[in-house]
């Protein structure tokens, strides 16, 4: 069953600029079928692809998102209806209980998301959505997850049932529901400044250009301030970094500001800062090779940085970009 995962206005922007689906597919190096699914919202775009689409269509990144301010009313209502439908499916199919139980068991075993995802032969983003109760699980995936958590399949099912009956999953389910609703509100309402103290959102921006496209980050010195996006208002560890590297070419202006959250887990497809040492970082796209090994891709020229288990503390996820 396909599920809508990304509401977008790529189709309308593409047509306005006279770009065909085939042209867009060729420039993104994906199939025509994939473009069709992306425009209909049935296939996810990662951050790198989004930035490239915005560049190809010569439009601001925010114009690609569906929102109540500049999207057609029927598009907004269709998205809301789809979200309600998916919530009901999740509730009736027990996905919330499954996700909460997997998270509970993983925490009890002191395993990270990355460790379980790799052992279960999944990408980090897919496994994270399962724990959030937002994705169905095939029999093969369930078997792999059970193995990754050290259970036989029937034993895992029994453990999940016991945890649910003992009421140990309610807090996790409530937390996941709240996070899910907040994320969708943010997608639909890009500007919440009228409800939030703007001054409280001012944060320092760090970073000067370093050697070989690096960004030197000295948190004792800030050259300017930026307003943290309203959807990040509750994230206290977010800091700003000036995009003062040309390794991204012309994708983004060097005046752009990246908002970085060290506590957020960077998944495959995310943009992140990789810290080579305490104050020298590189902008990378988190990727996965054919063997399932995660690495960071840098551009101009292309270069791979393979991550070890210890390196994940050095990867800070980019959660927003102000152009």
């Amino acid at each position: 069953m396909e599920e809508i995962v990304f509401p977008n206005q790529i189709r309308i922007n593409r047509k306005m600029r006279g770009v065909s689906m085939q042209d867009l597919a060729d420039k993104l190096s994906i199939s025509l079928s994939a473009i069709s699914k992306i425009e209909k919202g049935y296939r996810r775009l990662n951050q790198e692809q989004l930035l490239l689409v915005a560049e190809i269509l010569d439009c601001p990144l925010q114009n690609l998102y569906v929102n109540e301010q500049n999207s057609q009313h029927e598009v907004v209502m269709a998205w809301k209806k789809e979200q309600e439908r998916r919530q009901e499916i999740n509730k009736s199919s027990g996905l919330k209980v499954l996700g909460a139980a997997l998270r509970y068991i993983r925490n009890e075993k002191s395993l990270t998301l990355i460790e379980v995802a790799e052992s279960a032969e999944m990408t980090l983003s897919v496994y994270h959505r399962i724990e959030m109760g937002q994705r169905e699980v095939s029999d093969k995936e369930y078997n792999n997850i059970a193995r990754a958590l050290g259970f036989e399949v029937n034993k895992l099912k029994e453990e999940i049932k016991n945890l649910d009956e003992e009421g140990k999953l309610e807090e996790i389910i409530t937390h996941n529901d709240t996070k899910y609703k907040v994320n969708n509100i943010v997608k639909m309402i890009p500007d919440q400044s009228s409800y939030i103290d703007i001054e409280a959102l001012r944060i320092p921006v760090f970073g000067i250009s370093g050697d070989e496209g690096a960004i030197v980050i000295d948190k004792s010195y800030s050259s300017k301030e930026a307003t943290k996006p309203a959807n990040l208002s509750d994230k206290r560890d977010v800091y700003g970094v000036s995009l003062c590297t040309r390794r991204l070419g012309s994708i983004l202006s060097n005046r752009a500001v990246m908002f970085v959250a060290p506590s957020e887990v960077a998944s495959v497809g995310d943009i992140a800062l990789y810290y080579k040492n305490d104050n020298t970082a590189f902008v990378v796209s988190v990727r996965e090779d054919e063997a399932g090994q995660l690495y960071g891709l840098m551009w101009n020229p292309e270069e791979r940085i393979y991550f070890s288990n210890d390196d994940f503390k050095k990867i800070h996820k980019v959660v927003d970009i102000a152009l």
Side-chain angles (χ1 to χ4, degrees), residues 77-94:
M77 296 309 296
W79 170 245
K80 287 184 174 180
K81 185 176 180 180
E82 178 64 20
Q83 292 299 92
E84 292 172 358
R85 184 187 71 82
R86 287 175 60 200
Q87 282 286 76
E88 287 302 313
I89 290 175
N90 285 347
K91 184 177 180 180
S92 61
S93 63

Side-chain angles (χ1 to χ4, degrees), residues 35-58:
I35 285 293
S36 177
K37 288 184 178 181
I38 287 169
E39 290 191 352
K40 292 176 181 178
Y42 290 112
R43 174 166 171 168
R44 184 183 296 274
L45 279 169
N46 61 41
Q47 286 176 299
E48 183 186 354
Q49 289 173 319
L50 270 174
L51 293 171
L52 185 54
V53 169
E55 182 183 22
I56 293 169
L57 300 182
D58 190 25

Side-chain angles (χ1 to χ4, degrees), residues 14 18-36 39 56-57:
R14 175 178 60 76
V19 178
S20 71
M21 290 179 67
Q22 188 63 62
D23 286 342
L24 188 55
D26 291 343
K27 290 179 179 179
L28 289 175
S29 299
I30 59 179
S31 67
L32 187 61
S33 173
I35 285 293
S36 177
E39 290 191 352
I56 293 169
L57 300 182

Side-chain angles (χ1 to χ4, degrees), residues 110-123:
S110 299
L111 296 171
T112 65
L113 277 165
I114 294 171
E115 289 172 333
V116 176
E118 288 183 345
S119 297
E121 300 177 7
M122 295 179 175
T123 64

